[in-house]
């Protein structure tokens, strides 16, 4: 699933979102920008980030579409362009603003810059084995992976801090259940209990626990590798229905491990 994206759209019809910031450049030229805004429907609800940049000529959107659209990112969709459309339209709706014509045109045509994408998948594995897997990767993986433990939590990070790409392998069940109340508020908010949703309210923790207990989560985070000459995934129109999973799988398959089965197995 698409767990995060960071995109920018060029245009000249953006509303003033956030507080105006004027900066004098060394040349003496003044440039105007606006502070980033966290768009949210309520105190406990997920948020999405919007910022108008470059003298009002570019707008940036970034955040987790899964959390923003459905309240959690335990599972979600790989339809990148579809998620961009729904996410941005909901952002303007929440801001109580009309979506600018340039933004509407861009999200329909796919003519926007893709600066970063995180893709997460769950692989079948008993939760009790995840710590052993991560320890083995640190022991037997190539030194070029620079494998470091995730803290807090159970997992390992590969190529930490890389501007090219990064991989996280961890126990999502442990992460989710440790912060259960926060996630429950994000998904259910303060809605009054009623018969139609009593199961979701009472058994939310059990449902998510059971789902997450049977897999290890692997996130591939892509930045500069999106500009790879064989991919050209730094533009929205390059993403099809199967692009996200193919990119994720190729990254996982290419992780060099010694004395271990391939990670995608």
């Amino acid at each position: 699933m698409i767990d995060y994206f960071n995109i920018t759209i060029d245009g000249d019809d953006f509303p003033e979102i956030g507080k105006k910031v004027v900066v004098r450049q060394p040349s003496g030229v003044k440039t105007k920008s606006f502070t980033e805004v966290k768009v949210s429907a309520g105190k406990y609800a997920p948020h999405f980030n919007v910022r108008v940049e470059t003298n009002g000529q570019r707008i940036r959107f970034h955040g987790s579409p899964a959390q923003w659209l459905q309240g959690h990112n335990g599972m979600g969709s790989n339809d990148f362009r579809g998620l961009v459309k729904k996410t941005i339209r909901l952002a303007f709706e929440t801001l109580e603003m009309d979506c600018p014509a340039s933004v509407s045109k861009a999200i329909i045509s796919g003519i926007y810059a893709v600066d970063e994408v995180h893709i997460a998948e769950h692989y079948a594995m008993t939760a009790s084995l995840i710590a052993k897997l991560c320890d083995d990767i640190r022991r037997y993986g190539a030194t070029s992976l620079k494998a470091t433990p995730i803290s807090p939590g159970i997992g390992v990070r590969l190529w930490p801090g890389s501007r090219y790409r990064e991989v996280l392998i961890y126990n999502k069940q442990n992460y989710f259940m440790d912060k259960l109340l926060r996630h429950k508020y994000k998904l259910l908010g303060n809605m009054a209990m009623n018969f139609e949703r009593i199961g979701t309210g009472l058994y939310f923790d059990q449902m998510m626990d059971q789902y997450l207990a049977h897999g290890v989560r692997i996130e591939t985070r892509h930045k500069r590798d999106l500009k790879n000459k064989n991919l050209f995934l730094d533009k929205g129109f390059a993403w099809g229905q199967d692009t996200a999973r193919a990119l994720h799988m190729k990254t996982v398959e290419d992780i060099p491990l010694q004395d271990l089965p391939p990670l995608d197995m």
Side-chain angles (χ1 to χ4, degrees):
M1 71 166 192
I2 305 295
D3 191 44
Y4 172 93
F5 67 71
N6 184 343
I7 69 167
T8 53
I9 297 173
D10 293 329
D12 57 6
D13 58 349
F14 305 136
E16 293 191 0
I17 302 174
K19 295 181 180 179
K20 186 184 299 184
V21 178
V22 178
V23 178
R24 185 184 294 275
Q25 302 296 331
S27 62
V29 176
K30 292 182 179 180
T31 59
K32 179 179 67 175
S33 188
F34 298 88
T35 57
E36 184 170 271
V37 171
K38 290 185 177 181
V39 184
S40 178
K43 180 179 179 182
Y44 297 107
H47 68 266
F48 210 78
N49 303 280
V50 181
R51 184 175 185 181
V52 178
E53 304 174 338
T54 319
N55 284 326
Q57 301 297 302
R58 181 173 64 194
I59 191 167
R60 181 178 302 277
F61 301 90
H62 70 94
S64 171
Q67 282 195 6
W68 174 235
L69 295 172
Q70 63 191 26
H72 70 89
N73 64 344
M75 59 192 84
S77 169
N78 271 329
D79 179 10
F80 179 81
R81 290 183 60 181
L83 287 171
V84 167
K85 290 179 187 177
K86 290 181 180 295
T87 298
I88 292 177
R89 285 173 175 164
L90 181 59
F92 281 105
E93 180 182 324
T94 306
L95 288 168
E96 298 182 344
M97 294 179 175
D98 292 332
C99 185
S102 60
V103 174
S104 294
K105 182 179 179 180
I107 61 178
I108 292 172
S109 64
I111 301 177
Y112 49 81
V114 182
D115 300 314
E116 184 175 357
V117 178
H118 299 179
I119 307 165
E121 297 288 352
H122 284 213
Y123 292 73
M125 173 173 281
T126 305
S128 60
L129 297 178
I130 297 175
K132 179 66 167 60
L133 168 68
C134 295
D135 185 59
D136 283 347
I137 290 174
R138 291 182 62 203
R139 289 173 178 269
Y140 305 115
T143 56
S144 61
L145 293 175
K146 300 180 181 180
T148 59
I150 291 175
S151 179
I154 299 171
V156 65
R157 186 186 302 266
L158 312 180
W159 301 296
S162 171
R163 299 183 68 181
Y164 188 72
R165 48 96 173 85
E166 189 174 4
V167 177
L168 280 71
I169 305 166
Y170 65 99
N171 183 341
K172 182 71 174 181
Q173 180 195 30
N174 175 273
Y175 167 82
F176 199 93
M177 299 308 292
D178 280 352
K179 301 177 181 178
L180 178 64
L181 186 60
R182 187 183 74 178
H183 292 298
K184 193 170 184 177
Y185 271 128
K186 281 188 174 182
L187 181 60
L188 304 178
N190 291 317
M191 291 189 294
M193 185 65 68
N194 60 55
F195 181 77
E196 285 77 13
R197 54 178 292 275
I198 191 168
T200 306
L202 291 179
Y203 304 112
F204 171 79
D205 52 344
Q206 295 180 35
M207 291 188 291
M208 292 308 297
D209 190 32
Q210 290 174 13
Y211 169 72
L212 296 171
H214 300 292
V216 59
R217 184 181 179 99
I218 302 181
E219 294 180 17
T220 59
R221 300 182 171 184
H222 307 271
K223 293 182 181 178
R224 289 187 174 178
D225 62 329
L226 297 174
K227 297 182 179 181
N228 184 299
K229 63 182 180 180
N230 295 321
L231 299 176
F232 296 112
L233 295 179
D234 58 334
K235 298 292 185 292
F237 55 75
W239 291 76
Q241 291 287 338
D242 301 320
T243 303
R245 174 156 292 181
L247 177 61
H248 172 89
M249 291 302 301
K250 181 66 169 61
T251 303
V252 171
E253 290 168 359
D254 287 348
I255 295 174
L257 298 177
Q258 299 170 356
D259 302 324
L260 285 173
L263 188 57
D264 60 302
M265 299 300 291

